[in-house]
Amino acid sequence: MKHIQTLNTRDMAKSLQNGGCGECQTSCQSACKTSCGIANQPCEKK
Amino acid sequence: MIHQYKLNGYNIVLDVYSGSVHAVDELAYDAIALLDAGDDRETAAQKLAAKYAGHPEVTDQDIQDCFDDIQELKEAGKLFSQDIYADHAFDFKGRSNVVKALCLHVAHTCNLNCEYCFAAQGKFHGESGLMSFETGKRALDFLIENSGTRRNLEVDFFGGEPLMNFEVCKQLVAYARSIEKEKGKNFRFTLTTNGIGITDEVIQWANKECYNVVLSLDGRKEVNDRFRKDLAGNGSYDRIVPKFQKLVKARGGKGYYMRGTFTHYNTDFTNDLFHMADDLGFSELSMEPVVSKAGSPEALTDADLPVLFDQYELLAKDMLRREKAGKPITFYHYILDLAHGPCIYKRISGCGSGTEYMAVTPWGDLYPCHQFVGDPAYKLGDIWNGVTNTALRDEFKLCNVYARPDCKDCWARLYCAGGCAANALHATGDIHGIYEYGCKVFRKRIECAVMIQVAKNLDPELAGTAPAPAAQDEDCESCGINC
């Protein structure tokens, strides 16, 4: 595409069908303890 | 839902529900904005032709090509995608009661007396006390018993200052290691410490046993020592920094964070991060806005916000500079793996407090998280009898991004999962509310984090620093949220 460059991102709709194993880290267990962010938690599926 | 913004020379378009990120030229940026505002293609094309009339490099064909690109992405589900997740969020009440993470308050006491401490100098507005091994052991058994098929179990030694009860920490890890294999579990321990109690033995233990260590340091000496004082009122910087450096040096690449808090007194917090990186040699950094009552001198103000936004931008740009120089640093809130990040269930189910994540007091009481400890209205039960306040647990189960009316129109909703329930409670009196100040900061951080990823993908000097594309079969075929 000439006008738009699309980054590689995880397909959210597809993860609706097949995601949700629950093995990823609980957000507050890592560093923050006073806020919530889940986007920086890595998926545990390899 | 579309969110578009300009930062560091990039025109960035986020398609919220697909999670797609696009870097676009000026023409596409304007075209997407017009379509998002409700114009049809023809009307939008006319407006663009008028706007770019003085730009011979933008032809009518360019405009049509641009709309063709947009249409192609729309058909691929990567632009103007729809919200198809709401029904799943409301299914969560029926979800299993799996617990997979505990914040163990092994010490409700502290050897520092930090004036901004949300935990009221470690006592959480109650009595001081240390967790016994028997109580901690029962907490680990409670976790295993309630963890279902989850393999990775997280336990954070927290306080107060957990190293004031180091012997129990050691005994608990030894107990967990003795049973995890037979139980089919993998314990991941985190130590959160102010550093005062770090010894060579602690370093050896933490670096062998702890998946992550969180080391509290606010940055520059004068900044750290403004709040992080001992009981006699002396600053802690000179005592803790050499210990932190020794621990990190011996850590051998295992995970850690230097975790600071910034307040109204140091809104130039990037200088604290850069001090930790450049003067002290730390590379894994986290810095949180203070959680404080409005009106207290250290509380962040509305007037601080533009300053904070500039600081976050400055940090993002400087991190790219460091990446190019071959000396990257990590900032916790800028970690964003677009290709392999969390699935949609993680993004809509909230932080897990009160459901899969709970805090345990030194006496074995269960609370939704560490920030609710000490508030009797939020006691869930205890580690011997389990969760007895099931109505409260159900309330937390449903406390996700779709349960918060204020999140409805927010583009960042799938990056924060609805935010922190404790912050919401303290700001609005309701866990379903939002802490708007924190939301503003959060949105800025995500804009910066996405910009960094765009730069890593587009800047030739940063080639090779972006994560690899997602594999086609990444999403497990056999897993479901109730597993």
Side-chain angles (χ1 to χ4, degrees), chain B residues 23 111 131 183 196 263 311 335:
Chain B
N111 42 20
M131 181 178 283
K183 300 289 185 184
I196 294 288
T263 73
Q311 288 282 291
I335 299 172

Side-chain angles (χ1 to χ4, degrees), chain B residues 163 166 170 191 193 195-210 213 215 239-252 254:
Chain B
L163 290 183
F166 179 49
K170 283 195 301 184
L191 172 70
T193 179
I196 294 288
I198 290 177
T199 62
D200 287 349
E201 186 189 4
V202 169
I203 290 173
Q204 193 175 20
W205 172 82
N207 289 347
K208 177 172 184 276
E209 300 290 0
C210 291
V213 290
L215 309 172
R239 275 172 287 173
I240 60 177
V241 165
K243 294 180 180 188
F244 287 155
Q245 288 173 314
K246 192 171 184 183
L247 186 150
V248 169
K249 191 175 178 187
R251 196 147 173 78
K254 287 178 82 173

Side-chain angles (χ1 to χ4, degrees), chain A residues 29, chain B residues 101-102 104 140 143 153-157 187-190:
Chain A
Q29 285 295 70
Chain B
L102 290 181
L104 278 192
L140 297 181
L143 179 57
L153 304 183
E154 301 149 29
V155 175
D156 185 12
F157 293 116
F187 276 96
R188 288 174 173 170
F189 291 99
T190 296

Side-chain angles (χ1 to χ4, degrees), chain B residues 39-264:
Chain B
D39 283 353
D40 58 27
R41 176 170 175 161
E42 192 177 339
T43 307
Q46 287 169 359
K47 288 181 180 176
L48 288 176
K51 177 172 180 178
Y52 288 92
H55 297 261
E57 74 279 11
V58 179
T59 64
D60 286 346
Q61 187 59 49
D62 276 327
I63 293 173
Q64 292 307 319
D65 287 348
C66 183
F67 282 110
D68 287 345
D69 287 354
I70 292 170
Q71 184 61 28
E72 188 179 331
L73 288 168
K74 193 174 174 182
E75 287 169 7
K78 292 178 180 292
L79 258 182
F80 298 107
S81 61
Q82 299 299 303
D83 181 0
I84 56 172
Y85 315 120
D87 290 345
H88 296 271
F90 290 106
D91 283 345
F92 281 174
K93 193 173 180 181
R95 147 187 182 188
S96 64
N97 295 319
V98 162
V99 183
K100 54 168 265 193
L102 290 181
C103 182
L104 278 192
H105 291 225
V106 292
H108 270 200
T109 183
C110 194
N111 42 20
L112 288 183
N113 189 29
C114 309
E115 291 168 35
Y116 58 31
C117 181
F118 77 86
Q121 287 68 51
K123 292 181 289 200
F124 290 81
H125 307 284
E127 293 179 14
S128 60
L130 300 177
M131 181 178 283
S132 68
F133 170 66
E134 289 70 27
T135 300
K137 178 173 176 286
R138 175 58 208 150
L140 297 181
D141 289 338
F142 167 85
L143 179 57
I144 290 172
E145 290 163 14
N146 288 278
S147 60
T149 57
R150 297 287 192 279
R151 182 168 181 275
N152 295 318
L153 304 183
E154 301 149 29
V155 175
D156 185 12
F157 293 116
F158 200 65
E161 171 49 43
L163 290 183
M164 294 185 77
N165 202 6
F166 179 49
E167 286 304 314
V168 166
C169 295
K170 283 195 301 184
Q171 291 168 11
L172 290 175
V173 167
Y175 174 67
R177 297 289 180 235
S178 75
I179 58 170
E180 65 181 348
K181 197 170 269 183
E182 100 187 53
K183 300 289 185 184
K185 304 297 180 185
N186 175 42
F187 276 96
R188 288 174 173 170
F189 291 99
T190 296
L191 172 70
T192 300
T193 179
N194 64 28
I196 294 288
I198 290 177
T199 62
D200 287 349
E201 186 189 4
V202 169
I203 290 173
Q204 193 175 20
W205 172 82
N207 289 347
K208 177 172 184 276
E209 300 290 0
C210 291
Y211 178 76
N212 186 26
V213 290
V214 180
L215 309 172
S216 298
L217 178 70
D218 286 351
R220 292 163 290 181
K221 177 177 163 66
E222 65 274 20
V223 170
N224 184 81
D225 287 354
R226 183 181 289 123
F227 288 105
R228 305 192 67 79
K229 299 172 183 169
D230 64 18
L231 304 180
N234 301 309
S236 58
Y237 182 97
D238 289 337
R239 275 172 287 173
I240 60 177
V241 165
K243 294 180 180 188
F244 287 155
Q245 288 173 314
K246 192 171 184 183
L247 186 150
V248 169
K249 191 175 178 187
R251 196 147 173 78
K254 287 178 82 173
Y256 78 93
Y257 282 106
M258 303 308 300
R259 195 269 191 212
T261 297
F262 68 86
T263 73
H264 178 63

Side-chain angles (χ1 to χ4, degrees), chain A residues 2-3 5-7 10 14-16 18 20 22-26 30 32-35 38 40 43-44, chain B residues 21-23 25 62 100 151-152 154 156 188 212 259 332 335 338 341 344-346 370 472 475-476:
Chain A
K2 185 179 167 190
H3 301 279
Q5 290 177 276
T6 300
L7 274 60
R10 188 170 187 181
K14 189 177 174 189
S15 78
L16 179 65
N18 300 320
E23 291 289 356
C24 53
Q25 190 175 35
T26 305
S30 41
C32 53
K33 288 289 183 191
T34 52
S35 66
I38 46 88
N40 51 15
C43 180
E44 289 282 342
Chain B
V21 176
H22 310 281
D25 64 11
D62 276 327
K100 54 168 265 193
R151 182 168 181 275
N152 295 318
E154 301 149 29
D156 185 12
R188 288 174 173 170
N212 186 26
R259 195 269 191 212
Y332 174 72
I335 299 172
L338 295 171
I344 192 64
Y345 290 101
K346 179 82 169 179
H370 51 287
Q472 285 296 311
D475 290 313
C476 167

Side-chain angles (χ1 to χ4, degrees), chain B residues 217 219-220 237 241 245 258 272 274-282:
Chain B
L217 178 70
R220 292 163 290 181
Y237 182 97
V241 165
Q245 288 173 314
M258 303 308 300
D272 294 292
F274 298 153
H275 170 67
M276 288 196 272
D278 299 330
D279 302 330
L280 304 182
F282 300 118

Side-chain angles (χ1 to χ4, degrees), chain B residues 435-447:
Chain B
Y435 172 44
E436 179 60 25
Y437 197 96
C439 295
K440 288 174 180 170
V441 170
F442 185 89
R443 285 191 288 264
K444 187 66 191 180
R445 289 195 303 235
I446 290 294
E447 285 189 341

